Amino acid sequence: MLLAAVLSTVVTDQPAPQQDYAAAYRTAQQEGKPLMVVVGADWCPACVNLKSQTIASMKQSGELQDVSIAVVDQDDQPELAAQLKRGRTIPQIIVFSQTPAGGWKRIQLTGFQSETTMQSVLSKAKQLSQGS
């Protein structure tokens, strides 16, 4: 019974669908926004919590309006996930910032992350894209 209750909570706490990677990349490139990619899986509790708690809360508060976001399910898109990930542990949060010179800088976090940590990484990513 308890497992059924937990699983029903996990399913109902799912956030709204995210942009796919290609669309999020185009938006980041066109609008000069950092690109945040979350690589995970539906069966991973830390991945589900990251999306339904941390990211959903940050979206609701408006903290992610200047960030292009994509969620990549490693089971649905194994080739893309393999290209993005470093190591096997999930979730992985990869933030790409376009530099003034036109290149991209990468910041990566592995495992469940708090809003505070995510805010810090996104702040650093925005500074990198501004050349600070």
Side-chain angles (χ1 to χ4, degrees), residues 17-78:
Q18 308 287 327
Q19 288 188 83
D20 70 12
Y21 177 79
Y25 175 78
R26 277 191 304 276
T27 300
Q29 224 176 6
Q30 292 168 353
E31 298 179 15
K33 295 179 174 183
L35 170 62
M36 180 171 77
V37 183
V38 179
V39 180
D42 290 340
W43 50 262
C44 164
C47 303
V48 172
N49 287 335
L50 178 70
K51 291 185 288 184
S52 67
Q53 293 176 12
T54 305
I55 293 173
S57 174
M58 292 177 75
K59 276 184 129 179
Q60 187 174 14
S61 69
E63 294 176 86
L64 298 179
Q65 71 183 40
D66 293 330
V67 179
S68 187
I69 303 169
V71 175
V72 175
D73 186 300
Q74 73 173 10
D75 296 329
D76 292 341
Q77 297 177 290

Side-chain angles (χ1 to χ4, degrees), residues 84-103:
L84 292 165
K85 289 184 351 182
R86 290 189 178 155
R88 298 181 60 162
T89 303
I90 56 174
Q92 289 189 22
I93 301 102
I94 306 131
V95 180
F96 296 99
S97 299
Q98 196 167 7
T99 65

